[in-house]
Amino acid sequence: MEKFQTLVSTAVPLQVEDVDTDQIIPARFLKATTRDGFGENLFRDWRYNPDGSPKEDFVLNDSTYAGEILVGGKNFGSGSSREHAAWAIRDYPFKVVISSFFADIFKGNALNNGLLPVQVSEAFLGTIFKAIESDHKTEFKIDLVNQTITILSTGESESFEIDEYKKTCMINGYDDIDYILSLKDKIEAYEDSKIKF
Amino acid sequence: MMGKTLFEKVWDAHVVHSINDTTHILYIDKHLVHEVTSPQAFSGLEKRGIKAFRPQNTVATPDHNVPTENQHLPIQEELSRLQVAKLKDNCEKYGVQMFGLGHKYHGIVHIIGPELGITQPGMTIVCGDSHTSTHGAFGSIAFGIGTSQVESVLATQCLLQAKPKTMKIQIDGTLSKGVLSKDIILYIISKISSSGGTGYFVEFCGTAIEALSMEARMTICNMSIEMGARGGMIAPDQTTFEYIQGREFAPKGEGWDKAVAYWSTLKSDDDAKFDKELYIDAADIAPMVTYGTNPGMGVKVDSSIPTLDTIDGENNQITFKKSLDYMGFAPGDKMLGKKIDWIFLGSCTNGRIEDLRIFADYVKGKKKAEHINDLIVPGSKLVEKQAKEEGLDKIIEEAGFKFREPGCSACLAMNDDKVPKGQYSISTSNRNFEGRQGPGARTLLASPLTVAAAAINGYITDVRESN
């Protein structure tokens, strides 16, 4: 996993609530057996017409907006547990998703793939959307070490929460499995202590 | 010392190690695997050069991609065929038991776990599929995981997890005629929204829940993920024990008595404290139907779609309008009488024998509306076999429908079963997301009974006023 400490970037606004993972990557694209290439089909049905031509009014097809940050509405990533959603966003490539609320499984999947979910207040999310609307070149600084997000042009800032352990993993590019593998003795001792029927 | 909730009892019994107050290493008793979310996890093991740690604790079955006709033939669609073949290869290589296509125990992963007695109270159960929450109906902690976590469970039999908060949803009283467990859960989600349970593990309790069969309880826990909850659970009781006893993988003999003694301790203590509580009167619940593009957008079948002025906030209104636009509905529209093009009976929500019985009982001696297209799909080979033994397949076919072979089918349309663009499908599945049943398909979620009534009449019907 790639290390993440700070990021300064413009952002792409997707002002829709309840963006479910079926929209992020529709089920028919889940037949691959590798993790690569999902970015091409990110938001497939919102992004392309059935004939494959881009839908001009969708934000990923609007050259006004660019950057490594995706800003979504409340309850981002609901629905299916498919990790392919996190892979598609990361592959696009976005490195950060901002929302006022993330679905649990999506948040976990994102953190396991070097995609940082930044949860902000409803009010600050509104401020972010307005800032992008008034100037699409607005830059945001995501500082994982200090757990802050700042709108660089105005200095407005908010802190965000992240599990201390997952923060360490993101900063150092570690994953859970290496850590759990180091606990093999504890796992075996636990197994020995279990009730058996 | 303060009492514990059911959730806390099961959770605490599975903590192998605590990293800090919130993050724990949790032991997983049962790991269910299917073809879509596992290939990259098995490749991960290969990359690390390690074996599966406890392959005997894992059971696999292909379900998302399988066709529901001619299952004896090779899968026609190439990518689906390859993905299913990959599962078989991986299971052989890593020593995982698999019930493949054609096996007498094949079926949807969340249907076969309970019916084979693999699912038991007090367990931790995970699967790379959000509807793993189904198994919570037995008093287990069961939840969906991503592929990296599938790899973690294969590699270590453990998961790193943040402990969720707990919520109690208590439903007391008697359900009205025509109201099924699907209506209970759609009602709850319509009340608290598709994100109202995020961050929580929910325990469903109360006299209305205790009166339900195991299959009805599974429907409720199955859809607890649709309110954002990490999972749902119901304390095991006599109904649970009777359901499990005698099943293939259930404890036997002395082991059974020992198991029941332990399982009987799995309930929330009277003084247990939940982080959030919700109380519902069963009499307030009516047959439900969804009108929008997430499971929280549901109403009582005889109600209208909300009007714009009742929707709070600018972002909410944008989302609401986008959703109705997709569905081809207008604010304030009545749901009764809306014409339906397709019906789907099946999925891990309502593909069990009880659901087929409810449907068959309603359509018996009637004929389906001429314009209706149907997908009637049992949840497993065992459900299919039992339906045939009971003659349900005949009743269904005499009413003009086709009885298919088991799989996930048009719940998420990864196989050939798809609803065409723009057409309306009333469905017993769990998600009405845009494109869920095929690109452009318009899905309305309802109970098997409401689906049966729509299948006969061709439009949305109030089952309390028909039959």
Side-chain angles (χ1 to χ4, degrees):
Chain A
M1 205 168 80
E2 206 175 305
K3 293 180 187 179
F4 187 112
Q5 291 180 346
T6 57
L7 173 74
V8 173
S9 171
T10 53
V12 178
L14 180 62
Q15 201 166 358
V16 182
E17 302 201 333
D18 305 316
V19 173
D20 59 76
T21 54
D22 273 66
Q23 307 318 311
I24 298 172
I25 186 85
R28 62 188 188 280
F29 299 110
L30 307 187
K31 298 186 190 201
T33 51
T34 67
R35 289 174 185 241
D36 309 320
F38 287 99
E40 280 173 39
N41 293 313
L42 175 65
F43 292 112
R44 177 76 202 196
D45 294 336
W46 288 357
R47 192 168 152 196
Y48 297 104
N49 292 304
D51 66 5
S53 60
K55 290 184 180 175
E56 281 172 19
D57 60 352
F58 185 63
V59 71
L60 294 192
N61 298 324
D62 183 343
S63 57
T64 314
Y65 303 105
E68 294 177 305
I69 301 171
L70 177 66
V71 190
K74 192 175 79 185
N75 196 26
F76 190 93
S78 60
S80 164
S81 63
R82 62 189 69 166
E83 192 163 308
H84 313 67
W87 300 340
I89 295 173
R90 190 64 191 79
D91 189 58
Y92 178 74
F94 288 112
K95 289 183 178 161
V96 169
V97 188
I98 298 171
S99 172
S100 57
F101 204 82
F102 290 97
D104 283 335
I105 303 180
F106 175 81
K107 188 152 89 179
N109 287 340
L111 287 166
N112 285 335
N113 286 280
L115 174 68
L116 182 66
V118 174
Q119 187 161 319
V120 297
S121 65
E122 284 282 334
F124 199 67
L125 184 68
T127 307
I128 292 170
F129 278 127
K130 286 206 173 66
I132 303 170
E133 194 183 323
S134 62
D135 179 5
H136 61 269
K137 292 201 169 132
T138 301
E139 285 190 312
F140 299 86
K141 181 177 181 185
I142 314 292
D143 181 340
L144 175 58
V145 180
N146 295 302
Q147 296 177 224
T148 54
I149 165 170
T150 309
I151 304 173
L152 288 183
S153 54
T154 63
E156 288 167 283
S157 187
E158 201 175 79
S159 59
F160 61 86
E161 288 186 19
I162 180 170
D163 181 275
E164 204 52 44
Y165 171 84
K166 294 311 290 187
K167 177 179 166 179
T168 309
C169 288
M170 287 283 287
I171 290 174
N172 297 298
Y174 295 161
D175 77 12
D176 293 354
I177 301 175
D178 293 329
Y179 176 75
I180 304 176
L181 280 171
S182 73
L183 300 173
K184 193 164 170 254
D185 292 348
K186 282 198 172 189
I187 300 169
E188 284 172 345
Y190 171 84
E191 287 177 324
D192 291 341
S193 73
K194 266 180 89 71
I195 315 178
K196 291 177 188 68
F197 305 137
Chain B
M1 207 175 97
M2 202 174 64
K4 283 183 178 182
T5 64
L6 165 62
F7 173 81
E8 287 162 343
K9 286 182 185 179
V10 181
W11 178 280
D12 292 351
H14 289 85
V15 173
V16 170
H17 175 72
S18 298
I19 296 178
N20 54 42
D21 286 351
T22 51
T23 312
H24 308 273
I25 305 296
L26 204 63
Y27 191 81
I28 301 303
D29 295 317
K30 284 291 167 212
H31 184 198
L32 308 172
V33 165
H34 64 83
E35 77 280 17
V36 179
T37 54
S38 67
Q40 297 87 350
F42 282 110
S43 334
L45 294 188
E46 190 165 348
K47 253 183 231 159
R48 290 175 201 269
I50 55 176
K51 295 178 185 169
F53 184 65
R54 295 286 179 260
Q56 66 274 23
N57 293 5
T58 300
V59 174
T61 191
D63 53 7
H64 286 57
N65 278 282
V66 304
T68 57
E69 288 183 299
N70 297 321
Q71 288 186 349
H72 61 287
L73 299 177
I75 299 175
Q76 299 297 301
E77 212 259 324
E78 191 193 359
L79 289 176
S80 294
R81 187 174 66 247
L82 292 175
Q83 206 173 42
V84 170
K86 191 85 188 163
L87 179 68
K88 185 166 178 277
D89 291 350
N90 282 328
C91 287
E92 279 169 6
K93 186 167 166 194
Y94 289 93
V96 171
Q97 182 169 33
M98 185 184 87
F99 300 125
L101 264 181
H103 191 283
K104 65 177 176 174
Y105 294 153
H106 172 252
I108 303 176
V109 68
H110 307 310
I111 302 272
I112 69 171
E115 77 183 0
L116 294 175
I118 294 168
T119 302
Q120 294 168 19
M123 283 182 165
T124 45
I125 302 175
V126 298
C127 174
D129 189 291
S130 60
H131 293 107
T132 309
S133 59
T134 311
H135 309 269
F138 291 79
S140 59
I141 291 183
F143 54 91
I145 55 177
T147 299
S148 297
Q149 293 169 307
V150 172
E151 184 181 334
S152 174
V153 179
L154 287 171
T156 68
Q157 206 55 39
C158 289
L159 270 183
L160 189 136
Q161 282 288 299
K163 191 174 180 181
K165 291 182 283 185
T166 56
M167 188 193 301
K168 175 167 88 167
I169 300 184
Q170 184 170 334
I171 308 154
D172 289 312
T174 310
L175 293 175
S176 311
K177 176 180 167 263
V179 176
L180 306 187
S181 69
K182 181 65 160 280
D183 300 307
I184 298 178
I185 190 66
L186 284 173
Y187 177 79
I188 296 171
I189 305 168
S190 78
K191 285 270 170 205
I192 74 169
S193 91
S194 60
S195 63
T198 305
Y200 293 92
F201 221 95
V202 176
E203 180 179 343
F204 298 96
C205 59
T207 56
I209 298 293
E210 288 160 20
L212 296 174
S213 70
M214 280 318 295
E215 302 207 338
R217 293 179 190 185
M218 284 185 242
T219 301
I220 291 184
C221 289
N222 173 278
M223 287 191 68
S224 55
I225 182 70
E226 305 308 337
M227 53 184 171
R230 204 70 183 83
M233 63 199 306
I234 294 172
D237 59 9
Q238 200 53 37
T239 305
T240 320
F241 307 149
E242 281 168 19
Y243 178 94
I244 299 171
Q245 192 163 26
R247 291 183 187 267
E248 182 74 27
F249 296 96
K252 308 257 170 9
E254 265 177 48
W256 172 257
D257 298 334
K258 209 167 147 193
V260 171
Y262 171 59
W263 296 345
S264 301
T265 67
L266 299 174
K267 53 187 165 208
S268 291
D269 295 326
D270 291 339
D271 57 344
K273 203 178 161 328
F274 292 83
D275 296 301
K276 196 172 175 179
E277 297 181 2
L278 183 67
Y279 294 87
I280 290 168
D281 182 349
D284 290 342
I285 308 173
M288 297 288 292
V289 64
T290 62
Y291 59 86
T293 54
N294 76 56
M297 300 175 83
V299 287
K300 294 179 178 176
V301 70
D302 56 350
S303 303
S304 303
I305 295 172
T307 49
L308 196 58
D309 57 299
T310 63
I311 307 293
D312 284 340
E314 187 197 354
N315 270 346
N316 269 328
Q317 290 191 355
I318 293 172
T319 304
F320 177 72
K321 279 193 279 195
K322 182 176 185 299
S323 178
L324 288 194
D325 190 40
Y326 179 85
M327 291 301 291
F329 292 154
D333 275 4
K334 276 204 174 333
M335 294 310 289
L336 282 180
K338 281 207 180 290
K339 187 174 169 248
I340 297 296
D341 307 298
W342 287 75
I343 61 137
F344 172 59
L345 179 75
S347 82
C348 59
T349 316
N350 284 117
R352 302 184 190 84
I353 191 68
E354 193 172 276
D355 303 308
L356 289 169
R357 285 186 195 137
I358 290 164
F359 185 88
D361 187 50
Y362 186 94
V363 305
K364 189 173 185 174
K366 302 188 178 88
K367 285 283 173 210
K368 84 169 180 74
E370 220 165 276
H371 69 274
I372 288 282
N373 300 284
D374 61 287
L375 289 160
I376 296 175
V377 188
S380 70
K381 285 306 271 186
L382 285 178
V383 171
E384 179 189 34
K385 180 169 172 262
Q386 196 173 352
K388 286 182 173 169
E389 282 165 5
E390 295 179 17
L392 305 181
D393 59 326
K394 289 277 172 308
I395 295 171
I396 286 168
E397 279 166 7
E398 277 162 19
F401 306 96
K402 179 178 163 57
F403 186 71
R404 308 176 84 91
E405 293 174 283
C408 294
S409 179
C411 176
L412 87 168
M414 278 190 80
N415 70 350
D416 301 327
D417 303 343
K418 292 176 176 52
V419 173
K421 185 172 191 261
Q423 298 206 2
Y424 291 97
S425 162
I426 193 161
S427 170
T428 64
S429 51
N430 38 49
R431 290 190 170 139
N432 49 351
F433 296 153
E434 288 185 26
R436 177 78 177 175
Q437 295 195 278
R442 291 161 162 170
T443 300
L444 296 86
L445 303 176
S447 78
L449 186 58
T450 299
V451 167
I456 296 301
N457 293 330
Y459 52 84
I460 296 181
T461 303
D462 188 339
V463 293
R464 293 168 299 186
E465 289 166 10
S466 67
N467 207 3

